[in-house]
Amino acid sequence: MEGLIKGLIDVAIGNDGDNNDQQSPSQSREDRSRSTWAQVVTGEEDGGDRRDGYHRNRRNNEEEGRSRREEWEVEDSRISGQRKQESSEEKNDGWETVHKKPTRRQHKVQTDNWGGYKRPASEQNYSDEVEVGAELEPSEDELADLSYACNKLWKLDLNRLVPGKDYEIDCGEGKRVSGREDMAQGSLFSWVSEEVLRKPTFSRFCSLLDNYNPNQGSKEVVTPEERQEQAAFIEEISRTAPIKYLHKYLSSKGVASNEYQDFKRMLTSLWFDLYGRGGTCGSSSAFEHVFVGEIKQQGEQEVSGFHNWLQFYLEEAKGSVDYQGYIFPRRRGQCPDSETQLLTIQFEWNGVLKSVSSTLVGVSPEFEVALYTLCFFLGGEDNHVELGPYAVNIKCYRFGNKMGSVFPIAEC
């Protein structure tokens, strides 16, 4: 009888005891989601232990338990009101449905001139070429140290955007790589200036992104119009400072021809030549994997590649990308903010998870092509370099003599 009375008291005050093994799977997942969310809100990492101790205290004193339960409900309501808008879909205990997000803000994307890039070369108009000055000649220090050369490219990226002026991001909350809860209230990009996608190299880059089948292993069919888009992009970026510096650097090392036309053909081949990935010949390219992204179809679906911020912005604007928060940095106190231009994040693309991805935000297409090409030809798998204020490892994987994947990793 005493055990029965004790059990009824526990039920009345909501105590489920310490035996978590008897919880249903849905209850366990819900508790884990609540605990993790509460830890982020409060900044505490021992929330689970404190709550267990709280349950034990409630068993010792029924009246104290009821009082504390009321305090928890008040606190839950306060936090929920601060963090999220109330909804008719909220659970009865005051916690909102996991992954529930407000409607994404629609972004206006300028695509007026993209179709013209498919026209013949004779109908294309390009920007003026930058002057070849002393600053485009690699110094002896730069030729001797890849990190110096990469940092020079950062300085030469005249088209790099300015946070707060050209765009704004909201990093949301942080999470671990293994976390599956959505820690972002909305989109990563709050807005991007309409002028950004009118920049010649930016707009030509964006016009290429819809030329690919994202399913890894699907054979790509490249039309003559798409080949013209590729040629137009290479021609446009070849008129910029980062690519001209890249040519001088590679030709000084004997990697590239002194003839600029030969160099442009080499760039086109490196980035756009198709090769087999996922067991299918002609199904992938360096450009598709690194910048556009692919979805693995063998085994459990997952996103691979997809390291470009412009692709992320455009897919997010379409509703195809669901940003889920940044990954906690290795060192405490270095969490990203709206000014950060090197991000490590988690997101879903077409409903498929990318558990961890890194990207350089706001940089120009010509900078990324120059940086990754330089590391492919003259670096190794790990390339520890400085990019302005960022210490970065440019990770470079080869696929035979092709570029398999390349992306930045923030270092401590």
Side-chain angles (χ1 to χ4, degrees):
M1 179 63 70
E2 180 179 353
L4 177 60
I5 294 174
K6 181 180 181 299
L8 292 173
I9 293 174
D10 287 345
V11 171
I13 66 173
N15 180 23
D16 59 359
D18 294 328
N19 189 1
N20 293 329
D21 293 337
Q22 295 180 1
Q23 290 180 312
S24 69
S26 61
Q27 288 174 321
S28 298
R29 285 194 298 271
E30 187 177 19
D31 282 345
R32 287 196 298 269
S33 298
R34 294 179 184 178
S35 176
T36 305
W37 190 79
Q39 289 170 21
V40 173
V41 172
T42 62
E44 298 175 351
E45 297 183 357
D46 60 343
D49 293 340
R50 292 176 67 250
R51 191 165 62 174
D52 288 344
Y54 166 60
H55 286 318
R56 287 193 293 270
N57 290 337
R58 287 197 304 181
R59 288 199 300 269
N60 294 334
N61 191 309
E62 179 180 357
E63 292 302 321
E64 180 182 358
R66 288 194 177 116
S67 175
R68 291 194 180 187
R69 185 180 179 215
E70 291 172 357
E71 292 174 4
W72 269 71
E73 290 174 345
V74 171
E75 181 66 6
D76 285 352
S77 177
R78 183 183 67 81
I79 294 176
S80 180
Q82 290 175 348
R83 302 286 299 189
K84 303 178 181 179
Q85 294 182 348
E86 293 183 355
S87 167
S88 60
E89 295 180 5
E90 285 186 354
K91 294 180 182 289
N92 292 333
D93 57 5
W95 291 86
E96 287 195 348
T97 305
V98 176
H99 300 301
K100 182 177 181 298
K101 281 190 172 185
T103 303
R104 292 188 185 91
R105 182 187 305 174
Q106 293 296 316
H107 301 296
K108 185 177 180 181
V109 177
Q110 296 290 336
T111 63
D112 302 344
N113 57 337
W114 294 1
Y117 299 151
K118 296 181 182 294
R119 296 173 184 164
S122 60
E123 299 181 21
Q124 299 295 320
N125 295 312
Y126 298 102
S127 303
D128 294 334
E129 297 197 32
V130 298
E131 295 183 5
V132 179
E135 71 277 4
L136 296 181
E137 293 288 342
S139 68
E140 292 185 4
D141 287 342
E142 291 160 8
L143 289 171
D145 192 322
L146 187 66
S147 180
Y148 287 168
C150 292
N151 202 37
K152 181 63 171 289
L153 286 173
W154 179 269
K155 295 175 182 177
L156 291 174
D157 188 13
L158 306 180
N159 279 329
R160 185 171 64 250
L161 306 185
V162 178
K165 175 178 178 290
D166 298 312
Y167 69 93
E168 184 177 354
I169 59 174
D170 181 358
C171 296
E173 301 289 348
K175 63 191 305 182
R176 293 179 175 84
V177 174
S178 59
R180 293 296 178 264
E181 66 277 22
D182 193 336
M183 303 305 297
Q185 286 293 298
S187 301
L188 173 62
F189 285 92
S190 301
W191 56 266
V192 174
S193 170
E194 294 181 11
E195 298 301 317
V196 167
L197 297 187
R198 292 194 180 102
K199 291 175 176 284
T201 58
F202 285 65
S203 60
R204 289 189 186 274
F205 175 88
C206 291
S207 73
L208 294 166
L209 298 174
D210 64 354
N211 291 348
Y212 299 94
N213 186 328
N215 294 324
Q216 190 179 103
S218 296
K219 188 175 179 63
E220 297 290 347
V221 177
V222 184
T223 67
E225 291 79 12
E226 290 173 349
R227 291 195 185 280
Q228 167 54 38
E229 281 187 317
Q230 296 172 3
F233 171 68
I234 294 297
E235 177 61 36
E236 192 70 67
I237 65 173
S238 295
R239 296 165 178 263
T240 66
I243 301 298
K244 287 187 176 292
Y245 176 84
L246 172 69
H247 174 242
K248 289 182 173 295
Y249 198 100
L250 293 182
S251 60
S252 296
K253 294 288 189 177
V255 174
S257 168
N258 291 326
E259 296 295 326
Y260 208 47
Q261 291 301 319
D262 292 339
F263 166 70
K264 287 189 284 188
R265 282 190 285 271
M266 184 187 77
L267 277 185
T268 302
S269 176
L270 173 66
W271 284 99
F272 294 108
D273 280 0
L274 295 175
Y275 53 80
R277 194 194 296 265
T280 303
C281 179
S283 61
S284 186
S285 67
F287 186 92
E288 178 182 8
H289 182 84
V290 174
F291 295 135
V292 182
E294 299 177 284
I295 298 176
K296 294 181 179 179
Q297 299 298 317
Q298 298 177 348
E300 184 178 357
Q301 283 190 322
E302 61 178 316
V303 176
S304 63
F306 200 140
H307 297 286
N308 178 260
W309 75 270
L310 278 165
Q311 166 73 341
F312 192 100
Y313 166 69
L314 293 174
E315 290 296 293
E316 193 174 55
K318 291 192 305 184
S320 300
V321 159
D322 180 10
Y323 174 63
Q324 301 197 350
Y326 66 86
I327 302 300
F328 284 128
R330 298 175 187 174
R331 183 177 298 175
R332 291 179 181 272
Q334 294 184 341
C335 294
D337 56 29
S338 61
E339 301 289 315
T340 304
Q341 293 192 278
L342 175 58
L343 290 178
T344 305
I345 60 178
Q346 186 176 105
F347 61 91
E348 285 185 356
W349 182 34
N350 294 318
V352 181
L353 182 69
K354 177 77 171 179
S355 60
V356 57
S357 184
S358 52
T359 185
L360 290 158
V361 180
V363 298
S364 70
E366 59 265 31
F367 168 77
E368 286 196 280
V369 169
L371 174 68
Y372 296 153
T373 301
L374 185 64
C375 290
F376 173 79
F377 281 117
L378 295 174
E381 180 177 315
D382 294 288
N383 305 281
H384 304 280
V385 302
E386 299 288 330
L387 299 177
Y390 304 107
V392 187
N393 179 14
I394 304 299
K395 200 78 173 177
C396 188
Y397 292 106
R398 295 177 179 272
F399 198 90
N401 62 346
K402 304 291 186 180
M403 180 186 290
S405 185
V406 58
F407 51 90
I409 300 176
E411 296 192 310
C412 295

